[in-house]
Amino acid sequence: MTVVGVASNSAEALQQVRALRPDLILVDIGLGEESGFDLARLLARDGPGGEVILISAGAEADYAELIAESPAAGFLVKSELSARAIGQILGLT
């Protein structure tokens, strides 16, 4: 995997997704003053990019209902973020 961009807000993220058209987009639930859940919905609706996986330093149980309602392919705790974990969410392994 190669990181092709980093954004600190939704506007930057949408701009980069449109320009770079990545296969995978990792969205931090805590996107500064914004909600990563809102960005995930925007990406699902308007984004020309690939799959979205939500990430956070917090436990999945803390956000379980919001994660279930989101269009994201899955969720990973940042400490467990790896190519293997991403592959498992996407059904590649």
Side-chain angles (χ1 to χ4, degrees):
M1 284 192 290
T2 302
V3 175
V4 295
V6 177
S8 59
N9 60 52
S10 294
E12 286 178 10
L14 290 170
Q15 181 181 23
Q16 287 189 28
V17 166
R18 289 182 183 117
L20 301 170
R21 302 176 95 57
D23 295 325
L24 174 67
I25 305 160
L26 300 177
V27 175
D28 196 327
I29 287 173
L31 186 62
E33 294 181 11
E34 300 178 54
S35 167
F37 293 107
D38 291 339
L39 176 56
R41 283 188 285 278
L42 285 171
L43 290 167
R45 187 186 71 207
D46 300 331
E51 295 285 346
V52 172
I53 294 177
L54 296 166
I55 61 172
S56 176
E60 183 172 4
D62 296 343
Y63 308 100
E65 189 173 316
L66 292 168
I67 292 167
E69 293 173 0
S70 82
F75 171 87
L76 285 170
V77 175
K78 289 180 184 181
S79 63
E80 298 173 4
L81 185 60
S82 69
R84 174 174 278 180
I86 290 169
Q88 288 175 335
I89 287 174
L90 301 177
L92 303 174
T93 59

